[in-house]
Amino acid sequence: MADLLSVAKRAGVSRATAARAFSSPDLVRPATREKIFNAAQELAFRPNKVAQQLRSQATQMIGVMVPSLDNPVFAEQLQAMEVAARDSGYSLIVTTSEYSPSREGNIVEEMLRQRVDGLVLTVADASNSDVLDKLRMENIPCLLVYNPPGTSGFTSIGVDNLAAGADATRHLIALGHERIGMIAGPLLQSDRAQQRYEGYCQAMKSAGFLPHQLVEMARHTQADLASLKPALQGFQSFSAVICTNDLLAISLIGELQRAGFAVPGDLSVMGFDGIALGQYLYPSLCTIEQPRADIGRTAVHTLLAMIRGESCTTAPLPHALRKGESTGIPASRKSNTGTTQRSTL
Amino acid sequence: MADLLSVAKRAGVSRATAARAFSSPDLVRPATREKIFNAAQELAFRPNKVAQQLRSQATQMIGVMVPSLDNPVFAEQLQAMEVAARDSGYSLIVTTSEYSPSREGNIVEEMLRQRVDGLVLTVADASNSDVLDKLRMENIPCLLVYNPPGTSGFTSIGVDNLAAGADATRHLIALGHERIGMIAGPLLQSDRAQQRYEGYCQAMKSAGFLPHQLVEMARHTQADLASLKPALQGFQSFSAVICTNDLLAISLIGELQRAGFAVPGDLSVMGFDGIALGQYLYPSLCTIEQPRADIGRTAVHTLLAMIRGESCTTAPLPHALRKGESTGIPASRKSNTGTTQRSTL
DNA sequence: TTGTACGCGTTATCAA
DNA sequence: TTGATAACGCGTACAA
């Protein structure tokens, strides 16, 4: 591939002049400039970013690490990040951690070697993370997304998960529900799931109800009805549940319907995240919407500000209750006639 | 950040020796090596990939361009690509084109300047693409994903969309459907949607039925019932439809149910792609499953082979019919009693 | 086994 | 307005 030197030769100038023609066109006489551009054209010259990066000690690249792209929450955030970054002349190196600490470590190390100008990470647990401990020693611009801010010492972009969890709960309470449960992924939950649960507990107590133990599913994004059965039977059975993410909620609704339950007739189901698809289902998913695109954009803009050396303030982004057909008045409040047929479990 | 020279000084050796300790450890005496590693540790030395890339004329980076990460098909493919690339020591630069030719052009130019070792692209229409025309002149390893192979001259990873479209159609025919429609995104469809339609037409004709005109939706991934209403009414109304992607199908099912139609009772709906979520819905989505993860992995491995200079053969990857509850026997075949109440349109 | 020296493609400083 | 030169950090051919 043609380099600046060959362009310069062909144009009959020195390499320095050729370089100037691109970086500061006004510093070179128009006629000369023309010759250089022509030569560049003829040789199909393409500036070598790697050389520029080495020389300028800046890569214009952002390292991004998300848990998984199989979850639309992260994919939708990433989509917005890519557009925002490109608009500012930056590229994204994208990696997935699967929440694995060792992968997290390798990924970040790799990105540091690549000399990315900054990092945008979503870690499993920000308050207890090897990779963040390591990053604290470096002084590279670094930002968390979705992880609750505070304990980690890193600025974080996301919603107030505790308030959001409480809002979800209050929505159900306002509908008349009292026996409300919460469903999450496997044992080592993400830090944000914990906060959402905390918000649920607070809202329940404030309303004078007893918060229930978290019901844990075997998988992060797929509900299995068996684990939930006990909580759906008997006198004290739930009339509504909140899932810690939308995929869990959607799959739960599917399982329930397949088993003969009506949603929200027999059980109201709320999600959390607000992935786009939820609106198009029937029943549409009632959920707490995180502004995924806005989070992605804000993350990029905030990081770029940090890279420029500006001090940046960050407040939690607003979440919103997205009403949907998957929640309704509890059966006990309705006239007890005409309820849908429920299969025996 | 500490560089090799400072490590060398601290270890009391020349820079060349320090470099060798990392690149060819066996060429340096163990004791010396030890000193160098210790010095590196103390200085928190981190090899500079940018310098390595400039020196070696290879970046170990793959440029990836997909239309949008908001569609799980691409996100799921990308997830697999990232893992495969990392396993081989490569990083991914990820970009989104929104199917915009100008964006496609800018993105590819940018990646070429970054000197990525290869490209994995999904373009709007491979048989008529400026960016591919340009790429034909370069000689950088380049691979298409999802785009039909053949006309473009580039090797492409994906399923046989024509056969897949025919398989979907035959599945419905086997169920007893005769009035089968096909639904796609907006006018400038993707090349693969066209092939799927072609497969549909062939299968319909083979069975002695008349293929219908493609029904076009305003958006790529969201159905609007209004455009479809005419085809659902009257004597010749569809008993089944195939959507060119899963998001379209899922949103259509939601719209239908909300309008009082039963799926598959009143209308069988098939999707196309096989995104993970489809299985967890009720009714579960009947669809043609593309092996998204396998496609991603194969793309990476094939590209790496091309980068190594190996000649690689590529056959279409197998698609599969994923049966689901969203299709069933047409109403006309069933005893015409007890059908669900249909709202007037 | 280790050191010297050059080049990868740019940019920026300093002279001319 | 232009040119010579050094530097960014690394790898390696060649010499010692």
Side-chain angles (χ1 to χ4, degrees):
Chain A
M1 171 127 307
D3 65 345
L4 257 179
L5 184 54
S6 46
V7 171
K9 278 183 185 161
R10 184 171 185 106
V13 300
S14 78
R15 208 186 39 216
T17 307
R20 258 189 299 260
F22 290 99
S23 60
S24 337
D26 33 313
L27 288 188
V28 43
R29 193 199 316 165
T32 325
R33 203 194 306 158
E34 203 65 18
K35 280 194 298 185
I36 294 169
F37 287 161
N38 286 337
Q41 186 101 40
E42 291 159 18
L43 294 176
F45 168 68
R46 187 148 29 218
N48 187 325
K49 279 214 136 203
V50 176
Q52 293 177 329
Q53 289 161 350
L54 179 59
R55 172 62 223 226
S56 68
Q57 300 289 83
T59 51
Q60 313 249 91
M61 300 201 310
I62 298 174
V64 182
M65 182 180 81
V66 295
S68 167
L69 290 171
D70 287 341
N71 187 331
V73 183
F74 301 117
E76 291 175 15
Q77 160 212 349
L78 188 57
Q79 166 70 33
M81 287 186 63
E82 202 278 323
V83 173
R86 169 169 319 286
D87 284 350
S88 299
Y90 278 72
S91 298
L92 258 37
I93 294 194
V94 175
T95 61
T96 60
S97 70
E98 307 289 353
Y99 288 112
S100 149
S102 75
R103 273 179 76 89
E104 287 183 351
N106 292 338
I107 284 170
V108 167
E109 176 62 25
E110 171 72 14
M111 287 176 160
L112 292 177
R113 294 186 176 195
Q114 184 58 61
R115 299 299 194 267
V116 295
D117 290 346
L119 289 168
V120 175
L121 312 175
T122 297
V123 300
D125 184 351
S127 63
N128 175 23
S129 162
D130 288 346
V131 73
L132 291 187
D133 291 343
K134 168 182 178 178
L135 244 20
R136 246 183 291 274
M137 315 302 299
E138 318 287 333
N139 62 334
I140 179 177
C142 180
L143 211 60
L144 261 31
V145 169
Y146 290 128
N147 294 110
T151 59
S152 73
F154 289 94
T155 66
S156 181
I157 309 292
V159 305
D160 181 339
N161 284 287
L162 197 146
D167 283 352
T169 311
R170 277 192 290 266
H171 173 62
L172 292 171
I173 292 173
L175 284 173
H177 293 274
E178 302 182 354
R179 290 165 286 109
I180 303 170
M182 188 145 188
I183 300 180
L187 195 67
L188 20 130
Q189 306 145 30
S190 65
D191 47 15
R192 41 215 172 280
Q194 285 177 27
Q195 292 227 339
R196 293 166 192 178
Y197 180 62
E198 183 61 31
Y200 153 83
C201 290
Q202 290 187 10
M204 288 294 275
K205 286 176 191 159
S206 296
F209 304 135
L210 203 62
H212 293 78
Q213 188 102 34
L214 198 60
V215 179
E216 284 167 0
M217 296 286 147
R219 297 185 46 185
H220 238 88
T221 55
Q222 187 182 350
D224 77 297
L225 204 48
S227 317
L228 191 58
K229 272 181 190 168
L232 295 182
Q233 303 180 104
F235 179 63
Q236 284 294 348
S237 65
F238 293 149
S239 67
V241 295
I242 304 171
C243 302
T244 52
N245 68 66
D246 278 353
L247 292 182
L248 213 46
I250 291 171
S251 60
L252 175 61
I253 292 174
E255 288 282 294
L256 285 167
Q257 292 178 325
R258 190 168 289 108
F261 288 87
V263 175
D266 294 318
L267 187 70
S268 284
V269 177
M270 279 195 71
F272 210 115
D273 283 343
I275 64 175
L277 189 60
Q279 312 171 69
Y280 308 131
L281 303 175
Y282 182 79
S284 60
L285 184 63
C286 175
T287 189
I288 296 289
E289 178 168 347
Q290 304 195 70
R292 293 131 4 253
D294 200 21
I295 286 175
R297 273 189 300 271
T298 305
V300 167
H301 292 148
T302 306
L303 185 70
L304 292 185
M306 292 172 64
I307 290 173
R308 286 192 301 268
E310 304 168 11
S311 67
C312 52
T313 67
T314 52
L317 263 45
H319 59 270
L321 175 74
R322 187 201 287 164
K323 296 191 178 172
E325 299 151 337
S326 66
T327 58
I329 311 251
S332 56
R333 286 265 180 129
K334 296 188 292 191
S335 59
N336 243 343
T337 65
T339 145
T340 59
Q341 150 200 2
R342 170 188 292 194
S343 74
T344 53
L345 282 175
Chain B
M1 172 125 308
D3 66 345
L4 217 37
L5 182 55
S6 46
V7 171
K9 278 184 187 161
R10 184 171 186 106
V13 300
S14 77
R15 218 197 47 223
T17 306
R20 259 189 298 259
F22 290 100
S23 62
S24 338
D26 32 314
L27 288 189
V28 44
R29 192 196 318 163
T32 323
R33 202 195 305 157
E34 201 67 16
K35 280 193 298 184
I36 295 169
F37 287 162
N38 286 337
Q41 185 102 42
E42 292 159 18
L43 295 175
F45 168 69
R46 189 149 26 218
N48 186 324
K49 279 214 138 205
V50 176
Q52 293 177 330
Q53 288 161 351
L54 179 60
R55 169 64 224 231
S56 67
Q57 299 291 79
T59 52
Q60 312 249 93
M61 300 201 311
I62 298 174
V64 182
M65 182 180 80
V66 295
S68 166
L69 290 170
D70 287 341
N71 188 330
V73 183
F74 301 117
E76 290 175 15
Q77 161 212 349
L78 188 57
Q79 165 70 34
M81 287 186 63
E82 201 278 321
V83 173
R86 169 169 319 284
D87 284 350
S88 299
Y90 278 72
S91 298
L92 257 37
I93 293 195
V94 175
T95 61
T96 60
S97 70
E98 306 289 352
Y99 288 113
S100 150
S102 74
R103 272 179 77 87
E104 287 183 351
N106 293 339
I107 284 170
V108 166
E109 176 62 26
E110 171 72 14
M111 287 176 160
L112 291 177
R113 294 185 176 196
Q114 182 59 62
R115 300 299 194 267
V116 294
D117 290 346
L119 289 168
V120 175
L121 312 175
T122 296
V123 299
D125 184 350
S127 63
N128 174 23
S129 162
D130 288 346
V131 73
L132 291 187
D133 291 343
K134 168 183 179 178
L135 245 19
R136 245 182 293 274
M137 314 302 298
E138 318 286 334
N139 63 333
I140 179 176
C142 181
L143 211 59
L144 261 32
V145 169
Y146 290 128
N147 295 110
T151 58
S152 73
F154 289 93
T155 66
S156 180
I157 310 291
V159 305
D160 181 338
N161 284 287
L162 196 146
D167 283 351
T169 311
R170 277 192 290 265
H171 174 61
L172 292 171
I173 292 172
L175 284 173
H177 294 274
E178 302 181 354
R179 290 165 287 110
I180 303 170
M182 190 145 187
I183 300 181
L187 196 68
L188 19 132
Q189 306 144 31
S190 66
D191 48 15
R192 40 215 172 281
Q194 286 176 27
Q195 292 228 337
R196 293 166 192 178
Y197 180 63
E198 184 61 31
Y200 153 83
C201 290
Q202 291 187 9
M204 287 295 274
K205 287 177 191 157
S206 296
F209 303 136
L210 203 63
H212 292 79
Q213 188 103 33
L214 198 59
V215 179
E216 284 168 0
M217 296 286 146
R219 298 185 47 185
H220 238 88
T221 55
Q222 186 182 348
D224 77 298
L225 203 48
S227 318
L228 191 59
K229 273 180 189 169
L232 294 182
Q233 302 179 106
F235 179 64
Q236 283 293 347
S237 65
F238 294 149
S239 67
V241 295
I242 304 171
C243 301
T244 52
N245 68 66
D246 279 353
L247 292 182
L248 213 47
I250 291 171
S251 60
L252 175 61
I253 293 174
E255 288 282 295
L256 285 168
Q257 292 178 324
R258 190 169 289 108
F261 288 87
V263 176
D266 295 318
L267 187 70
S268 284
V269 177
M270 278 195 71
F272 209 115
D273 284 343
I275 64 175
L277 189 60
Q279 311 171 68
Y280 308 131
L281 302 175
Y282 182 79
S284 60
L285 184 64
C286 176
T287 189
I288 297 288
E289 177 167 348
Q290 304 195 70
R292 293 130 6 250
D294 201 22
I295 286 175
R297 272 189 300 271
T298 304
V300 167
H301 292 148
T302 306
L303 185 70
L304 292 185
M306 291 172 64
I307 291 173
R308 286 191 302 267
E310 303 168 13
S311 66
C312 52
T313 67
T314 53
L317 264 42
H319 60 270
L321 175 74
R322 186 201 286 163
K323 297 192 178 171
E325 298 150 339
S326 66
T327 58
I329 312 252
S332 58
R333 287 266 180 128
K334 295 189 293 191
S335 59
N336 241 344
T337 64
T339 142
T340 59
Q341 151 199 359
R342 169 187 293 196
S343 76
T344 53
L345 283 173

